[in-house]
Amino acid sequence: GAGVSQSPSNKVTEKGKDVELRCDPISGHTALYWYRQSLGQGLEFLIYFQGNSAPDKSGLPSDRFSAERTGGSVSTLTIQRTQQEDSAVYLCASRTGGNTGELFFGEGSRLTVL
Amino acid sequence: AQRVTQPEKLLSVFKGAPVELKCNYSYSGSPELFWYVQYSRQRLQLLLRHISRESIKGFTADLNKGETSFHLKKPFAQEEDSAMYYCALSPRETSGSRLTFGEGTQLTVNP
């Protein structure tokens, strides 16, 4: 596709439910990142994929959070037993392999936990 | 560890005035520094990177290793510059790693 695509754009769920957020990166981009954007918190790094492996998952806030990437393309971020503090915009970004390359962001998935 | 600090959460200037958005970083190695911008109802996008030494939309940023800063400057602000600005750092020597962002500065340019 033309850019990074994320779905759903908006998700409202009840506390305790599981949610899945999907990211479809730009074709050919080997590196994929998940960030969380909260008011007053900036952009919080969650996890980074190079191909299908995750060399850095140190930003995942708890074991309720997990992510996978298949076929070097689509990634899914799963949050189990959601809590109200999980409410945020979850951003996905991709880039080609180097450290100086531009990060291309999706529009984000806004999660609201009631 | 790498850390990026943007001391101003909010910055307000008048059109035509100079603007400087501050960014300080902490990293023991050799960093790559970036500025990203998010305009209202748009996705986050790259504004400029220090390695390119370019001026985008009239903005420039110089890496000062002595002061560990990468402040973003524009001599004459325009209303369309109103946006959220994020400074970010990536380690140069590590192949493939996280981009660490600051907390962001919301810039408002008043008419």
Side-chain angles (χ1 to χ4, degrees):
Chain A
V4 177
S5 178
Q6 291 188 246
S7 62
S9 54
N10 257 297
K11 175 73 176 178
V12 180
T13 190
E14 292 180 348
K15 177 181 170 181
K17 302 275 186 163
D18 297 352
V19 296
E20 279 190 357
L21 307 176
R22 176 190 166 105
C23 173
D24 201 342
I26 293 173
S27 178
H29 281 189
T30 57
L32 185 149
Y33 299 75
W34 282 99
Y35 287 87
R36 180 165 69 175
Q37 186 178 34
S38 308
L39 273 176
Q41 300 294 320
L43 280 162
E44 177 188 8
F45 168 81
L46 297 178
I47 187 170
Y48 152 70
F49 286 92
Q50 181 63 38
N52 290 336
S53 64
D56 188 351
K57 57 178 85 170
S58 60
L60 294 176
S62 76
D63 58 8
R64 296 187 295 105
F65 287 72
S66 63
E68 64 175 12
R69 188 179 185 194
T70 55
S73 181
V74 172
S75 176
T76 302
L77 177 69
T78 301
I79 309 173
Q80 295 179 308
R81 305 181 302 281
T82 52
Q83 304 294 313
Q84 289 184 332
E85 61 262 27
D86 299 334
S87 297
V89 176
Y90 289 83
L91 292 173
C92 177
S94 70
R95 67 176 173 184
T96 55
N99 281 354
T100 59
E102 177 179 355
L103 218 56
F104 291 86
F105 282 85
E107 292 186 327
S109 291
R110 181 177 295 278
L111 174 66
T112 303
V113 182
L114 302 176
Chain B
Q2 56 210 57
R3 184 181 175 89
V4 177
T5 304
Q6 293 178 249
E8 303 140 328
K9 288 195 187 312
L10 301 170
L11 186 61
S12 183
V13 300
F14 286 103
K15 176 183 173 181
V19 63
E20 180 179 66
L21 290 86
K22 290 184 168 48
C23 171
N24 291 92
Y25 67 90
S26 173
Y27 180 62
S28 56
S30 184
E32 293 290 347
L33 275 298
F34 306 82
W35 277 98
Y36 280 78
V37 61
Q38 189 167 28
Y39 300 103
S40 179
R41 288 184 289 279
Q42 293 187 29
R43 62 184 70 193
L44 197 59
Q45 60 187 283
L46 178 68
L47 179 63
L48 57 78
R49 70 195 92 179
H50 94 269
I51 195 172
S52 302
R53 300 185 184 281
E54 57 198 346
S55 173
I56 303 293
K57 299 184 179 182
F59 284 99
T60 58
D62 291 317
L63 178 61
N64 186 323
K65 292 187 177 180
E67 295 182 358
T68 59
S69 68
F70 189 57
H71 303 326
L72 183 68
K73 300 176 185 178
K74 185 169 182 176
F76 307 103
Q78 302 300 313
E79 290 179 67
E80 56 265 30
D81 296 328
S82 296
M84 177 69 88
Y85 291 81
Y86 292 95
C87 182
L89 177 153
S90 186
R92 187 186 296 190
E93 58 274 278
T94 308
S95 176
S97 59
R98 70 169 70 182
L99 193 62
T100 299
F101 286 84
E103 293 184 357
T105 297
Q106 178 69 51
L107 173 66
T108 302
V109 181
N110 300 298

